[in-house]
Amino acid sequence: MSIRDVLARNIRKYRKAAGLSQEELAHRAEIDRTYISSIERSVYSATIDVVDRLAKALGVEAADLLVRPRRRMAAKTPSSR
């Protein structure tokens, strides 16, 4: 997963958890709604300044938006021991 995809996934996750539309997030971060849409679709990459503004608008640290999802560990089966 590219860092652009990680950012897109995390912005969408935090935005939805906060109950915000793309339009409301854009308003709070003072950026265009179409830019939010493009970032969430991994069309555009965001500058570090935009990442910081989005994080503040979402109430998280900028680093939280760049955390890769954890890999799921395969369950051990009796035959794999």
Side-chain angles (χ1 to χ4, degrees):
M1 178 180 286
S2 74
I3 195 67
R4 189 183 290 187
D5 293 332
V6 170
L7 178 64
R9 181 179 181 165
N10 287 333
I11 288 173
R12 189 177 307 109
K13 175 181 79 172
Y14 286 113
R15 178 179 62 76
K16 288 185 175 189
L20 299 175
S21 65
Q22 289 179 345
E23 188 170 352
E24 180 60 25
L25 176 57
H27 175 74
R28 291 181 183 195
E30 297 180 350
I31 58 178
D32 194 83
R33 188 214 47 88
T34 60
Y35 191 47
I36 298 282
S37 174
S38 295
I39 292 170
E40 285 190 2
R41 290 179 292 123
S42 299
V43 174
Y44 293 144
S45 55
T47 66
I48 196 69
D49 293 327
V50 169
V51 171
D52 186 54
R53 286 165 48 188
L54 288 168
K56 287 177 182 172
L58 291 167
V60 300
E61 294 293 324
D64 294 335
L65 297 179
L66 300 174
V67 173
R68 293 182 186 278
R70 294 182 186 209
R71 292 184 184 192
R72 293 183 182 165
M73 300 209 34
K76 286 190 177 184
T77 60
S79 62
S80 67
R81 291 184 184 163

